């Protein structure tokens, strides 16, 4: 039997027994010193084989014992020097991966106490003394061991999520060193130190592996910490790779070793942080040619699918593709994809203006990076792109899109035929236009700022220990020196006798004035680029519409068209509510014209689903407003302004009228005061009857929405994939049916609605089935009973059987509940109609 492992086992067991039972500080210090000898490498220490056996088998068990005895009495007896040299050194001199896992398990298992504070102190020492770099360097030495993939995954997860783990456990007691703003820059500095040691090892001929470091970088970027990581890594790596080829190879291998599931986060973070295409080429290498995921991110996602990046990032990314001859085919591929998107009419109509501007910038930068031979080779494709794209942009009614087509078309023409006739347009040279024109000529490489090596993180002053920081925090801040006050003769002139002006009711100056006329409001919403003016005009639109209905009817259709296509370009507060209320007011004011326009546009081309849903919401809210009972006599006079021209009688005898009114009031008051009442109920204010404003126009709301539902279009397939719009349409029809109660056209509306929903009652989408059930309930509530049983008896007979089936067998719980309610409502109507002499044979069968 080997004496080495046995001796180590006996020594560790004796140390643990001594620390568990002894109360003599001398024995405790000697036990700690004995355990520490297995972690150092001096001459008096045990041999290397025993130290390796201790680190491999017994070190974790010893750490777990120390962590479980954080509240031991002998810890209080140690001096500060002994605490650091004997106890803390056991955590700082051993294998860092075991130490980190044990410390994090301690934080998760211990409650808030002094023992937990000691564990956090050790963890903070661990981070400050560079043990993370030792841990990362240990993973870089040679190929990864094949017997510990699960351990490496756990270690990777703990390293990346350390701030989250501690924050979940400590809550508001989390120390600053464990917060993301401090931890991830520290992790990036330790990673750069590990890469530096890797470069030195490669120069010495030692093989290294960057798999674990690459996985750490990728997982940190995917979890949203790429900005903190690359903010530290990129400046240092950019400077080191300028003249050192070993650093270039290390950076290339680092990026190429990132797994595909995390490649997007790393590539996106690098592209956003690196300044200049040369530095990006030094850091990425040819990863775009070796990794399909990186190629998709660089050539598609960052250019065609996302548009949040700035112009310098576009120049760096496309310049990176143009730097190397092997990557230039990808530049041509990107140019063709950009041309196809820019010249697509569907993209121009449905894409936001910010994305169109982003694609136009990328297209112009690509054109500037092309060689003359490449331009001649692909001239026909570029010319076709220019012609079709300009037509799409010039046909647009948006001024910004119009101008964008002019600028890009003019630039394309100049690049395709430098010496010949080129296109020239007249447009305003604003900041955006000047930037677009400047992108055609990329900046020379010598204009990029030189990169200098940032100061090494190891040259920073040594961080203070956690205990010293707390001691300094208790010391407080010294009091500031009193400022010497100078007196002068001018200060003797007191202004105390002057009365201050009352400014409590003052408001802020500036801002756009609200329009006073509906045409001014329409003009502001159509052509203004001032965010304040647009916001004020949108807020005043509803009031102006109600204030002057005659002027509103002249521009009602044009205004509702503008509001329907209006976008929230300036992030206006309450934009959707203000826009919706203005459209509802327009529909209520000029019902026939606006309703005809909205119902027609609902089935038109080139409308988004959101706009079609807006149309349905506006129609439902307008029907609700029109169906509300209002008094024709009192309502208009409530806000009626006084007449500007007074009658002659009121001017000739004002005193007589005032006197007559005065004595009548006096008499009435005297009679009221001398009248005795034994009982007086609450005053009753009965609402005067008025005709429904919705009943005459209910058909204008309802029947046009049923006109073209079965005709699929390019961008709108109501009976196909657009289930959400179909369900909302059925629900809106049910709302219109409900508000048309007692209207002459209610019976025809109910029959048409039942015919429509009967074809989709077994739809696969539960939202559509819920809308169908609501529509059936609306028919039952709105159609008069005698008309229902005389004209809709067959439909009601089928509906009753269908409602029973849905209430029992529908897989959706909401549908079953709605079907049960509709069935109860139908039964209630049947009970009320029992004994009616007007019932026919079908009605009697329905009752049975």
């Amino acid at each position: 039997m080997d004496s080495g492992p046995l001796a180590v086992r006996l020594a560790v067991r004796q140390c643990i027994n001594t620390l568990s039972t002894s109360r003599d500080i001398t024995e405790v210090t000697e036990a700690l010193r004995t355990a520490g000898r297995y972690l150092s490498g001096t001459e008096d220490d045990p041999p290397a084989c025993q130290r390796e056996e201790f680190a491999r088998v017994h070190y974790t068990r010893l750490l777990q014992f120390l962590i479980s005895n954080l509240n031991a009495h002998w810890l209080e007896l140690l001096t500060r020097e002994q605490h650091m040299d004997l106890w803390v050194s056991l955590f700082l001199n051993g294998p860092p991966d075991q130490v980190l896992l044990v410390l994090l398990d301690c934080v998760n298992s211990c409650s808030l106490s002094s023992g937990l504070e000691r564990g956090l102190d050790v963890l903070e020492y661990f981070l400050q003394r560079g043990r993370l770099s030792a841990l990362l360097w240990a993973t870089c030495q040679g190929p990864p061991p094949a017997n510990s993939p699960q351990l490496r995954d756990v270690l990777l997860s703990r390293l990346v999520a350390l701030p989250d783990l501690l924050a979940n456990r400590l809550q508001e007691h989390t120390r600053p060193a464990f917060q993301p703003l401090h931890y991830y820059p520290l992790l990036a500095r330790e990673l750069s130190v590990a890469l530096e040691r890797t470069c030195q090892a490669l120069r010495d001929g030692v093989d290294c592996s960057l798999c674990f470091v690459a996985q750490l970088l990728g997982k940190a970027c995917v979890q949203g910490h790429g900005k903190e990581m690359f903010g530290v890594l990129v400046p240092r790596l950019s400077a080191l790779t300028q003249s050192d080829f070993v650093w270039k190879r290390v950076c290339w291998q680092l990026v190429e070793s990132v797994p595909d599931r995390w490649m997007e986060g790393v590539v996106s973070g690098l592209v956003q942080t690196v300044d200049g295409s040369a530095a990006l080429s030094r850091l990425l290498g040819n990863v775009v040619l070796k990794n399909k995921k990186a190629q998709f991110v660089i050539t598609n996602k960052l250019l065609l699918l996302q548009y949040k990046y700035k112009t310098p990032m576009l120049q760096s990314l496309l310049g990176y593709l143009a730097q190397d001859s092997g990557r230039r085919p990808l530049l041509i591929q990107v140019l063709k994809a950009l041309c196809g998107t820019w010249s697509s009419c569907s993209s121009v109509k449905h894409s936001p203006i910010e994305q169109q501007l982003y694609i136009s910038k990328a297209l112009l930068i690509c054109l500037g990076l092309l060689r003359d031979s490449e331009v001649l080779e692909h001239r026909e494709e570029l010319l076709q792109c220019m012609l079709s794209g300009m037509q799409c942009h010039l046909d647009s009614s948006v001024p910004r899109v119009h101008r964008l087509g002019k600028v890009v078309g003019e630039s394309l023409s100049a690049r395709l035929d430098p010496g010949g006739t080129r296109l020239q347009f007249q447009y305003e040279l604003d900041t955006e236009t000047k930037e677009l024109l400047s992108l055609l000529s990329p900046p020379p490489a010598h204009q990029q700022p030189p990169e200098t090596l940032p100061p090494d993180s190891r040259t920073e002053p040594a961080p203070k220990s956690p205990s010293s920081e707390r001691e300094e925090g208790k010391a407080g801040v010294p009091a500031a020196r009193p400022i010497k006050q100078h007196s002068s003769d001018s200060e003797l002139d007191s202004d105390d006798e002057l009365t201050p002006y009352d400014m409590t009711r003052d408001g802020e100056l500036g801002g756009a004035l609200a329009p006073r006329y509906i045409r001014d409001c329409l003009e502001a919403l159509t052509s203004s680029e001032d965010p304040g003016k647009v916001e004020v005009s949108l807020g005043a639109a509803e009031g102006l519409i109600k204030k002057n209905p005659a002027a509103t009817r002249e521009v009602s259709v044009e205004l509702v068209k503008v509001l329907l296509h209006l976008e929230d370009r300036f992030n206006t507060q309450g934009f959707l509510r203000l826009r919706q209320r203005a459209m509802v007011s327009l529909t209520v004011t000029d019902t026939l014209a606006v309703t005809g326009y909205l119902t027609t546009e609902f089935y038109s081309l080139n409308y988004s689903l959101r706009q079609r849903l807006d149309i349905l919401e506006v129609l439902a809210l307008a029907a609700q407003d029109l169906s509300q009972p209002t008094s024709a006599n009192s309502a208009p006079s409530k806000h009626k302004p006084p007449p500007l021209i007074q009658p002659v009688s009121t001017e000739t005898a004002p005193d007589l009228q005032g006197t007559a009114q005065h004595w009548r009031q006096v008499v009435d008051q005297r009679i009221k005061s001398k009248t005795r009442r034994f009982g007086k109920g609450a005053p009753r204010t009965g609402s005067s009857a008025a005709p429904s404003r919705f009943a005459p126009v209910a058909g204008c709301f309802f029947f046009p929405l049923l006109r073209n539902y079965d005709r699929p279009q390019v961008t709108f397939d109501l009976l196909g994939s657009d289930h959400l719009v179909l369900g909302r349409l059925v629900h809106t029809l049910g709302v219109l049916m409900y508000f048309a109660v007692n209207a002459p056209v209610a019976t025809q509306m109910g029959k048409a609605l039942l015919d429509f929903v009967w074809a989709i009652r077994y739809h696969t989408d539960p939202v559509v089935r819920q809308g169908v059930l609501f529509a059936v309930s609306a028919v039952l509530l709105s159609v008069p009973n005698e008309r229902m049983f005389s004209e809709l008896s067959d439909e009601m007979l089928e509906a009753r059987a269908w409602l029973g089936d849905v209430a029992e067998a529908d897989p959706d719980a909401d549908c079953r509940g709605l079907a049960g309610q509709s069935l109860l409502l139908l039964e209630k109507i049947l009970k009320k109609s029992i004994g009616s002499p007007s019932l026919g044979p079908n009605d009697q069968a329905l009752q049975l």
Side-chain angles (χ1 to χ4, degrees):
M1 183 175 181
D2 191 4
S3 61
L6 179 61
V8 174
R9 185 182 306 123
L10 293 176
V12 172
R13 181 179 300 175
Q14 183 177 0
C15 290
I16 293 177
N17 292 335
T18 302
L19 295 176
S20 302
T21 60
S22 178
R23 293 183 176 273
D24 187 3
I25 187 62
T26 304
E27 295 181 357
V28 169
T29 54
E30 184 62 28
L32 292 175
R33 191 174 288 109
T34 300
R37 291 193 186 101
Y38 287 97
L39 299 177
S40 58
T42 59
E43 296 180 357
D44 298 335
D45 295 334
C49 60
Q50 294 186 6
R51 293 199 303 270
E52 292 178 359
E53 177 71 13
F54 174 79
R56 184 176 60 87
V57 178
H58 304 284
Y59 183 60
T60 300
R61 186 162 62 93
L62 178 62
L63 291 181
Q64 291 174 349
F65 169 77
L66 295 176
I67 288 299
S68 62
N69 291 272
L70 289 174
N71 295 320
H73 69 281
W74 51 264
L75 282 175
E76 304 291 341
L77 302 178
L78 295 176
T79 64
R80 181 174 179 81
E81 291 76 11
Q82 291 176 340
H83 183 270
M84 293 294 300
D85 296 339
L86 299 179
W87 192 75
V88 177
S89 62
L90 290 177
F91 294 89
L92 299 183
N93 295 332
D97 53 347
Q98 302 180 38
V99 176
L100 181 64
L101 294 178
V102 170
L103 289 175
L104 291 179
D105 290 339
C106 164
V107 174
N108 291 329
S109 59
C110 293
S111 58
L112 294 177
S113 60
S114 59
L116 180 60
E117 290 294 327
R118 292 192 183 97
L120 293 176
D121 289 341
V122 175
L123 182 58
E124 194 166 353
Y125 282 125
F126 181 87
L127 297 179
Q128 292 176 353
R129 299 299 176 86
R131 299 304 294 164
L132 281 180
S133 62
L135 190 155
L136 297 177
W137 166 239
T139 61
C140 296
Q141 297 180 17
N147 57 352
S148 60
Q150 186 176 2
L151 177 62
R152 292 171 66 88
D153 292 341
V154 173
L155 184 62
L156 179 66
S157 302
R158 298 292 177 87
L159 276 174
V160 175
L162 188 143
D164 297 333
L165 296 174
L166 296 181
N168 291 337
R169 184 67 182 86
L170 302 176
Q171 302 295 328
E172 66 273 7
H173 303 289
T174 306
R175 300 183 181 182
F178 303 143
Q179 294 178 359
L181 291 179
H182 294 82
Y183 173 74
Y184 290 105
L186 171 66
L187 182 61
R189 288 192 294 269
E190 302 297 336
L191 193 148
S192 66
V193 173
L195 292 179
E196 186 175 355
R197 298 178 69 176
T198 302
C199 290
Q200 186 61 39
L202 292 176
R203 292 188 182 96
D204 297 338
V206 180
D207 293 337
C208 296
S209 173
L210 295 178
C211 293
F212 184 84
V213 178
Q215 292 175 4
L216 176 67
L217 181 62
K219 193 163 188 176
C221 292
V222 165
Q223 293 187 3
H225 309 293
K227 183 178 180 181
E228 292 83 1
M229 297 286 291
F230 287 123
V232 176
L233 282 175
V234 165
R236 183 170 181 81
L237 296 180
S238 299
L240 290 172
T241 53
Q242 279 186 318
S243 57
D244 195 333
F245 185 74
V246 177
W247 268 104
K248 289 184 181 179
R249 292 296 302 271
V250 168
C251 292
W252 297 348
Q253 187 65 32
L254 177 66
V255 178
E256 293 172 6
S257 300
V258 176
D260 287 346
R261 62 183 182 276
W262 298 329
M263 180 64 71
E264 180 181 351
V266 174
V267 172
S268 301
L270 275 174
V271 170
Q272 295 179 65
T273 311
V274 175
D275 185 14
S277 58
L280 186 62
S281 180
R282 294 196 304 269
L283 296 183
L284 287 180
N286 286 328
V287 67
V288 69
L289 301 176
K290 300 179 181 180
N291 189 283
K292 293 297 182 181
K293 181 69 174 181
Q295 181 177 342
F296 172 76
V297 172
I298 292 176
T299 60
N300 287 274
K301 196 161 190 178
L302 297 180
L303 295 175
L304 300 175
L305 303 180
Q306 299 177 355
Y307 53 93
K308 61 181 179 180
Y309 305 108
K310 303 297 182 181
T311 304
M313 193 281 293
L314 278 175
Q315 292 176 327
S316 299
L317 180 61
L318 295 172
Y320 160 74
L321 296 178
Q323 284 267 330
D324 187 77
S325 59
R327 299 192 293 262
R328 290 196 70 88
L330 293 179
L331 180 67
I332 303 299
Q333 175 183 339
V334 167
L335 176 64
K336 293 180 180 179
L338 290 172
C339 288
T341 305
W342 187 80
S343 60
S344 172
C345 294
S346 177
S347 176
V348 173
K349 292 178 181 178
H350 300 291
S351 300
I353 182 62
E354 292 79 10
Q355 186 175 9
Q356 299 183 40
L357 177 62
Y358 184 83
I359 292 176
S360 301
K361 290 180 180 180
L363 178 59
L364 292 178
I365 294 173
C366 280
L367 284 175
L369 293 173
L370 289 182
R371 302 189 182 104
D372 294 339
S373 58
E374 294 171 338
V375 174
L376 292 177
E377 182 180 356
H378 303 280
R379 187 175 184 277
E380 294 298 329
E381 299 178 8
L382 294 176
L383 185 61
Q384 183 64 30
C385 164
M386 180 185 70
L387 295 177
S388 57
M390 283 183 57
Q391 181 180 358
C392 297
H393 284 78
L394 295 180
D395 290 342
S396 175
S397 58
V398 181
R400 196 175 176 188
V401 177
H402 201 79
R403 184 172 65 250
L404 198 62
K406 292 180 180 179
V407 175
V408 178
E410 186 176 308
S411 302
L412 276 169
S413 174
R415 191 72 177 90
L416 294 177
D417 195 3
T421 305
R422 63 180 65 179
L423 295 175
Q424 290 184 352
F425 298 98
Q426 294 182 354
Y427 44 80
E428 181 182 358
L429 283 175
D430 53 0
T431 306
E432 179 181 300
T433 304
K434 292 178 181 179
E435 182 185 8
L436 287 172
L437 293 175
S438 64
L439 295 178
L440 203 58
S441 55
H446 61 81
Q447 290 186 4
Q448 297 181 359
E451 298 170 354
T452 58
L453 185 65
D456 193 355
S457 60
R458 297 297 174 193
T459 61
E460 297 179 358
K464 302 178 182 179
S465 63
S467 58
S468 62
E469 289 181 359
R470 290 195 293 270
E471 292 174 0
E472 292 181 1
K474 296 178 181 178
V477 182
R481 296 181 179 179
I483 300 176
K484 186 178 180 181
Q485 297 181 354
H486 300 278
S487 60
S488 59
D489 296 337
S490 61
E491 294 179 355
L492 299 177
D493 299 335
S494 176
D495 294 337
D496 294 341
E497 298 179 357
L498 298 177
T499 303
Y501 188 77
D502 185 13
M503 303 180 66
T504 58
R505 298 184 179 181
D506 286 6
E508 295 183 1
L509 297 178
L513 297 178
R516 302 180 61 184
Y517 301 98
I518 192 63
R519 289 187 179 274
D520 297 339
C521 179
L522 175 61
E523 182 179 358
L525 295 177
T526 305
S527 59
S528 177
E529 295 293 335
D530 184 9
K533 189 174 182 180
V534 172
E535 181 176 0
V536 170
S537 301
L538 187 60
E542 182 180 1
L544 293 175
I545 292 169
K546 295 180 179 180
K547 183 179 180 181
N548 195 346
T552 301
R553 293 187 182 95
E554 297 178 1
V555 295
S556 59
V557 176
E558 184 177 359
L559 181 56
V560 77
K561 180 179 180 181
V562 171
L563 291 172
L564 182 59
H565 293 82
L566 189 63
E567 297 180 357
D568 190 9
R569 298 178 297 166
F570 309 111
N571 196 16
T572 305
Q573 184 177 4
F575 171 81
L576 296 177
R577 178 181 57 83
L578 295 174
R579 171 172 164 266
Q580 186 184 75
R581 289 307 308 166
M583 296 175 68
V584 171
S585 300
L586 277 172
T587 309
V588 173
T589 303
D590 193 6
T591 306
L592 294 179
V594 176
T595 304
Y597 173 77
L598 292 178
T599 53
T600 303
E601 294 302 308
F602 178 77
Y603 290 105
S604 299
L605 294 173
N606 302 325
Y607 277 96
S608 64
L609 299 183
R610 179 67 262 177
Q611 288 174 314
R612 302 183 196 274
L613 295 177
D614 290 341
I615 291 175
L616 296 177
E617 292 177 3
V618 169
L619 291 175
L621 292 174
Q624 182 181 8
D625 287 354
L626 290 172
S627 64
Q628 297 299 326
T630 56
S631 178
N633 299 327
S634 59
S637 62
K638 184 181 297 185
H639 303 285
K640 183 176 181 180
L644 299 178
I645 301 177
Q646 299 291 340
V648 179
S649 60
T650 59
E651 295 181 359
T652 55
D655 296 336
L656 295 177
Q657 291 185 354
T659 304
Q661 186 178 8
H662 175 68
W663 72 260
R664 288 184 181 277
Q665 291 180 356
V666 173
V667 171
D668 292 340
Q669 290 177 0
R670 288 180 180 178
I671 295 174
K672 184 177 180 181
S673 63
K674 294 181 179 296
T675 303
R676 185 178 181 183
R677 293 180 174 88
F678 295 97
K680 183 178 181 181
R684 299 179 180 178
T685 56
S687 58
S688 58
S692 173
R693 295 177 294 165
F694 181 65
V697 295
C700 301
F701 281 76
F702 185 85
F703 292 108
L705 291 178
L706 294 174
R707 186 179 303 160
N708 298 320
Y709 68 90
D710 56 346
R711 298 181 183 178
Q713 299 175 3
V714 178
T715 59
F716 184 47
D717 188 5
L718 195 59
L719 297 181
S721 59
D722 297 326
H723 301 165
L724 177 61
V725 184
L726 178 60
R728 187 65 61 86
L729 173 62
V730 177
H731 187 272
T732 303
L733 292 172
V735 170
L736 298 177
M737 185 73 237
Y738 175 76
F739 289 136
V741 60
N742 297 326
V745 76
T747 305
Q748 288 81 358
M749 292 173 59
K751 188 175 181 61
L753 182 56
L754 290 177
D755 291 341
F756 169 59
V757 300
W758 204 247
I760 56 175
R761 67 187 186 278
Y762 294 115
H763 201 279
T764 57
D765 194 344
V767 176
V768 178
R769 298 199 302 273
Q770 293 172 17
V772 171
L773 293 168
F774 175 77
V776 172
S777 301
V779 173
L780 295 176
L781 292 172
S782 301
V783 178
N785 295 344
E786 60 275 5
R787 303 296 297 274
M788 183 186 303
F789 294 119
S790 62
E791 299 186 19
L792 302 177
S793 57
D794 296 336
E795 288 82 355
M796 289 296 103
L797 185 62
E798 296 180 2
R800 186 182 182 185
W802 170 71
L803 288 174
D805 295 339
V806 173
E808 293 178 359
D810 195 281
D812 186 68
D814 294 334
C815 291
R816 292 196 300 269
L818 289 174
Q821 294 176 5
S822 301
L823 195 58
L824 290 177
L825 180 60
L826 181 57
E827 297 293 341
K828 185 178 179 181
I829 295 174
L830 289 174
K831 288 180 181 179
K832 287 184 179 181
S833 60
I834 290 177
S836 176
S838 60
L839 293 179
N842 292 336
D843 308 325
Q844 296 174 1
L846 181 62
Q847 292 178 2
L848 295 176

